[in-house]
């Protein structure tokens, strides 16, 4: 798989993630009901953990996915490192939020789980990209 | 050798910076959640209901021209924030003046402590002290589903309310007399299209109630809706 293909796949997945988090943020701000088959979405969204110091987690997710989208489109070493770093941070924070849902709140939100799966996929792709873009030995 | 070292360095940077970013977010999340759940965002106030008529789930005069219905889960931190920041203002400005009556419809969707707290409040409502107990529960709201609605907590809240017996309250909350109000709250929320808490309906007393989109959890978030119904 070429780095170009990995970048393209990452950008598409990040765009889907941005759409998911934008939907969560829109419903939260509009005060509507989430489409939710697990029944736990409202519980999670009404939880004290739905915000980080006043900022909705969905807004953080949207910013994160947009950052991953831009990093996927950009070329070069800084883009590779930025994408991998941001993706890893997002995955660790997602793992923490998943723990909160399962253990503290006792409810899960399927949109959050979808976002977690997308994040995990982007991490795998970002690490693959980092590997594909490994620095070549200099020929002197 | 140089290539291997270079790649190790790159992966190390990614892991260290990524973990640091995540740790900062997790720390901020924990601090924010603790502040919300312990009420540090706004200080708790003294019970604002002294001398105000309470009857069942209703606070205020039965002939007040405007009715505001509050849908809340007693474990919901934003409901607690609204109760601390806005309810006392509404009581002082409208309920005491006989302009507004507020109806409490409890929901218990967050978990077991929601159900226990709501049953306690409804049982207190049978002695016309629901709003006192709701206020006491919000003021002492603990971490979600941590088992914070203890018997000791109920006794402590009851001991601060004249005319309320803690032991009687502890047994009354499991009696069948609580069930109708539990069902009424769920049914009313379903009819109103309430999907999250806190949520509010407002209208002329005895007339049609409309859902209110509050712009904030502060008094200014709901005051325009009250003024509009009073003026209409």
């Amino acid at each position: 798989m070429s780095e170009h293909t990995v970048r393209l796949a990452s950008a598409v997945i990040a765009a889907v993630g941005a759409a998911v988090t934008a939907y969560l943020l829109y419903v939260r701000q509009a005060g509507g009901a989430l489409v939710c088959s697990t029944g736990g979405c409202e519980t999670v969204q009404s939880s004290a953990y739905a915000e980080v110091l006043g900022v909705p987690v969905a807004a953080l997710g949207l910013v994160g996915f947009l950052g991953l989208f831009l990093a996927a489109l950009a070329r070069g070493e800084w883009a590779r490192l930025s994408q991998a770093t941001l993706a890893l941070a997002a995955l660790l924070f997602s793992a923490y939020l998943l723990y909160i849902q399962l253990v503290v709140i006792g409810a899960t939100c399927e949109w959050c789980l979808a976002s977690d799966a997308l994040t995990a996929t982007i991490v795998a792709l970002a690490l693959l990209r980092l590997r594909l873009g490994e620095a070549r030995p200099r020929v002197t | 050798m140089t290539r291997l070292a270079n790649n190790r360095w790159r992966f190390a940077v990614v892991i260290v910076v990524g973990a640091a970013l995540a740790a900062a977010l997790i720390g901020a999340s924990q601090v924010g959640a603790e502040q919300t759940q312990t009420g540090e965002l706004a200080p708790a106030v003294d019970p604002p209901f002294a001398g105000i008529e309470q009857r069942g789930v209703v606070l205020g005069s039965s002939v007040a021209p405007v009715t505001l219905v509050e849908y809340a889960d007693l474990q919901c931190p934003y409901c607690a924030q609204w109760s601390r920041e806005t309810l006392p203002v509404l009581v002082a400005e409208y309920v005491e003046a006989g302009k507004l009556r507020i109806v409490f419809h409890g929901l218990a969707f967050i978990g077991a402590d929601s159900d226990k707290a709501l049953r306690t409040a409804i049982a207190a409502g049978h002695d016309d002290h629901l709003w006192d107990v709701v206020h006491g529960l919000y003021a002492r709201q603990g971490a979600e589903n941590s088992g914070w609605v203890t018997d000791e907590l109920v006794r402590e809240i009851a001991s601060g309310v004249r005319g309320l017996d803690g032991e009687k309250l502890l047994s009354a909350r499991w009696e069948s007399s609580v069930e109708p109000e539990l069902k009424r709250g769920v049914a009313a929320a379903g009819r109103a299209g309430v999907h999250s808490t806190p949520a509010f309906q407002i209208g002329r007393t005895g007339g049609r109630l409309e859902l209110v989109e509050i712009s904030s959890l502060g008094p200014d978030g709901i005051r325009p809706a009250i003024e509009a119904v009073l003026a209409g």
Side-chain angles (χ1 to χ4, degrees):
Chain A
M1 190 183 281
S2 70
E3 187 183 353
H4 177 77
T5 310
V6 172
R7 284 174 52 219
L8 195 63
S10 302
V12 170
I13 294 169
V16 174
V20 167
T21 48
Y23 168 67
L24 286 171
L25 187 60
Y26 168 76
V27 172
R28 180 182 176 82
Q29 298 306 109
L34 287 166
V35 176
C36 184
S37 62
T38 58
C41 299
E42 298 302 342
T43 305
V44 173
Q45 289 289 306
S46 300
S47 152
Y49 296 92
E51 290 187 354
V52 175
L53 298 180
V55 179
V57 169
L60 291 176
L62 179 58
V63 170
F65 277 118
L66 289 177
L68 287 168
F69 179 75
L70 292 176
L73 291 183
R75 297 169 189 272
E77 182 66 359
W78 271 109
R80 288 187 204 104
L81 288 172
S82 303
Q83 185 189 7
T85 305
L86 187 55
L88 185 66
L91 183 67
L92 292 173
F93 188 54
S94 297
Y96 156 77
L97 291 175
L98 184 60
Y99 167 80
I100 292 293
Q101 287 177 69
L102 294 174
V103 177
V104 178
I105 302 173
T108 52
C109 160
E110 63 198 40
W111 295 98
C112 311
L113 297 179
S115 169
D116 295 346
L118 293 169
T119 304
T121 310
I122 292 178
V123 168
L125 290 170
L127 293 178
L128 178 61
R129 182 185 179 191
L130 210 56
R131 183 91 182 158
L132 291 169
E134 280 176 357
R136 303 286 177 227
R138 285 181 184 161
V139 179
T140 54
Chain B
M1 192 68 181
T2 307
R3 182 184 171 191
L4 190 63
N6 194 14
N7 284 326
R8 278 187 181 161
W9 176 84
R10 293 159 78 232
F11 278 100
V13 166
V14 166
I15 290 168
V16 169
V17 179
L21 273 174
L25 282 171
I26 291 168
S29 169
Q30 286 288 327
V31 169
E34 277 176 26
Q35 280 181 343
T36 309
Q37 288 172 337
T38 58
E40 286 177 25
L41 292 176
V45 294
D46 290 332
F49 313 126
I52 307 278
E53 183 180 339
Q54 293 185 49
R55 192 171 293 276
V57 297
V58 181
L59 178 71
S61 167
S62 56
V63 294
V66 178
T67 294
L68 176 71
V69 180
E70 177 195 0
Y71 295 91
D73 186 312
L74 291 164
Q75 285 205 92
C76 155
Y78 305 109
C79 303
Q81 187 181 342
W82 188 86
S83 178
R84 284 194 304 270
E85 295 179 5
T86 299
L87 183 59
V89 176
L90 299 189
V91 167
E93 290 184 10
Y94 300 104
V95 178
E96 282 184 5
K99 297 176 180 175
L100 180 71
R101 62 197 281 273
I102 307 178
V103 179
F104 181 87
H105 277 320
L107 301 171
F109 63 88
I110 293 181
D113 277 326
S114 305
D115 181 63
K116 207 186 277 188
L118 180 54
R119 285 173 173 276
T120 307
I122 292 172
H126 294 160
D127 290 326
D128 296 331
H129 286 297
L130 175 141
W131 285 89
D132 295 316
V133 169
V134 164
H135 177 84
L137 287 165
Y138 277 146
R140 297 162 179 82
Q141 193 181 64
E144 287 167 9
N145 299 324
S146 60
W148 62 276
V149 188
T150 61
D151 291 358
E152 289 70 27
L153 179 75
V154 172
R155 287 190 193 99
E156 181 194 327
I157 292 170
S159 69
V161 180
R162 187 175 297 176
L164 202 56
D165 182 331
E167 296 305 324
K168 183 182 161 198
L169 194 56
L170 283 169
S171 60
R173 63 184 175 169
W174 301 114
E175 290 173 4
S176 59
S177 57
V178 168
E179 302 292 336
E181 185 51 42
L182 282 174
K183 290 175 183 166
R184 258 196 296 277
V186 173
R191 281 195 304 273
V194 169
H195 300 289
S196 59
T197 56
F200 302 92
Q201 280 183 299
I202 197 166
R204 302 291 297 184
T205 299
R208 181 181 168 81
L209 300 172
E210 301 285 349
L211 268 179
V212 186
E213 292 279 337
I214 58 169
S215 56
S216 72
L217 289 172
D220 290 339
I222 200 158
R223 197 182 273 123
I226 298 172
E227 291 293 343
V229 178
L230 277 171

